[in-house]
Structure formats: structure tokens, C-alpha cells
Amino acid sequence: MQRVVSVVAHLGFRLQALPPALCRPLSCAQDVLRRTPLYDFHLAHGGKMVAFAGWSLPVQYRDSHTDSHLHTRQHCSLFDVSHMLQTKIFGSDRVKLMESLVVGDIAELRPNQDKVRELQNQGRDVGLEVLDNALLALQGPTAAQVLQASVADDLKKLPFMTSAVMEVFGVSGCRVTRCGYTGEDGVEISVPAAGAVHLATALLKNPEVKLAGLAARDSLRLEAGLCLYGNDIDEHTTPVEGSLSWTLGKRRQAAMDFPGAKVIVPQLKGKVQRRRVGLMCEGAPMRAHSPILNMEGTKIGTVTSGCPSPSLKKNVAMGYVPCEYSRPGTMLLVEVRRKQQMAVVSKMPFVPTNYYTLK
């Protein structure tokens, strides 16, 4: 089995996940929404479809959001995340393209592991192909056990952040990556669109597996301390501010050849104004845009994501505060529904992660 590093997963960012407050029920505008290859499958299984980022996606199924969340933590759940773009970058200058976009050390990844046009105009050999694949995420402590019955490859040799191409339930050409967006062990399966329904149906035959929607996906990733692009990080956030310094390649730090290096490298040495922190509180749940205040009542930051934690039975959130308020245990105030309530800065992840490694 050929192992490769998953580039997108390696960088630690996920695009287009869902804060529940951002979704809206379908209306007469549903005809203009894009549909994944599993759209009819979702409807047949009781999926409550919502409009999100131009797609019609299931926010939940017949089970409640909380039940789906806890089932993922205890067993495993199947998520349709086909709305996330899958591309293949090719050409001898493919590494140059990626390193012009990200801070990671792409050149050090093992083989097989509208900037394209700009590089092509410079005479660079690079191209981009959008794949016609669905993307299914099987997440939870029993995910590998469930999937192993359908593949010939030994999944014990596939650790976190690596991937391999294999046949899954008779569907050839599937790329299985040991990663996910829940904090649990699991995989994401890139499957040719024509085989998506067959694969999902086969997985659901195992009683360990239940369908889960975007609402559970959001609360799971928040418990795991994972960022939602557009909420917790964006083009104005540095890896240091976002507590994501681990994404910075050492070679690239020394060369200072990555985007934003002149700002980011000094921040690594302690010159940063704000940091992303975890917050916990009781009472009303914290939500995105809730003001964060110091104990004197002065606004010092803003919540970027928040929800009740089904696992902890407490409210969890993340947001940005000045460095002097970022130490775990620091007491702060959060304004929720025009009322101030106590919150404490907490280490993330809120719920321990269970990624599979070979150690």
C-alpha cells in the first residue's frame, strides 16, 4: 500500500463547514443550489436539507443533533462533505504553486502526497484539474474497524494525515485519507461520483454507522478546537494569532519565503497582539460575534464560534483576545443576549482528540 501525505489535511484548515446559525431552510431558490451526488440519498434517509454556500446539504437526519454528535464520539458517523472542492495539481512547478499559497513546507512532503494562470504566464509548468468526485467522511472510534471489512489494504498501516488509493466496497479508484474534522479517528474517502451512493449504502449496512449532518459536524469540530475558515481564521489572520504555528515549515521559516513572512516571523518571537483562545461558560451559550470583556467590563475581543457541548454539557467557544488575557484559567466576561456572564479561558481541544498514529 502506497502511503502519501494529505496536503490539505496537513495544513490543518477546513473550508466551508457550517455554523448552524448560518444555514437557512430551502425555499423557491433551491433550484439554483448545487447538489452533491448524494442529494436524493439524503432525502430518502430523512435528511433536513438547508442552503449553505450555494449547496443543498443535510443539516441533520431523523436523529437529533445531540444524538448524532454523541453517536460519532461513541461509534461512527457518515458525513457527506462533497461540497469541498477536490483538485489535482500537476506539472513540474506544482510545488512552487502550493508554496506560493501556504506557509507549509510542501517540498518536504513525500511523493504523491487564480494563482495557476499567473504562474503559467510566467512560463511555469503547472496545471489544475477539478475532480468529479464525491467526498465522504467516516468519523468515530469504530470507523477503521467498519472500513477494514471493505478493503484489502491494512488500515493499521495508514496513520493520521496519510492516504492511499484503494478499492472500497468494490468501487475502484477511491482515495482514503486518515483525517477528519471531528477530533476522532476516521477517514475521508474521495470516491468517483458514480460510486458514491453505492459506497454510502454499503457503509450504512453496518449498525455502527449512522448518517450525520452539518450541525453535528460543527459542534464536533468545535469541541476538538478546530478552526472554521471564514469564522475563526481568514485572510487577515496569521498562523501565530490563530494558534496554528505548527503549520509553519522550519525550512520556510529560515528562508522567510512564504506569504506574510515579514509579519509572521517576528510574531513567532513573541511580538503578537492577539491570540485565538478557548472559552467555557455555563448559562446561555456563547455564539459568534458575542463580545468578550475583561473583568472591568471593557471589550477586549469577540467570539468567533460557540455552541453548547453535547459531550461536556457546558458551553464552549473560541475567540480572539489580547495576549495578556490568553493564559488558561483567566476569568473574563462574555456578553450574551445583552447580559454579561462569566467565562474562563480554557485549553483546546475541549474534548481530547483520538487521532490514530503508529506510536
Side-chain angles (χ1 to χ4, degrees), residues 94-157:
R94 60 192 181 278
V95 170
K96 291 185 175 66
L97 167 66
M98 290 301 299
E99 291 199 343
S100 73
L101 300 173
V102 302
V103 299
D105 193 344
I106 305 303
E108 291 302 312
L109 297 181
R110 282 174 257 177
N112 294 317
Q113 295 176 355
D114 216 31
K115 197 76 176 178
V116 173
R117 185 172 299 277
E118 178 183 331
L119 289 177
Q120 288 174 337
N121 290 339
Q122 296 173 5
R124 299 286 176 83
D125 176 24
V126 64
L128 184 147
E129 173 190 350
V130 178
L131 302 180
D132 182 23
N133 280 16
L135 188 63
L136 301 180
L138 185 65
Q139 298 285 297
T142 61
Q145 171 191 326
V146 168
L147 188 63
Q148 186 62 76
S150 70
V151 300
D153 301 72
D154 184 0
L155 297 180
K156 291 181 180 178
K157 298 179 180 179

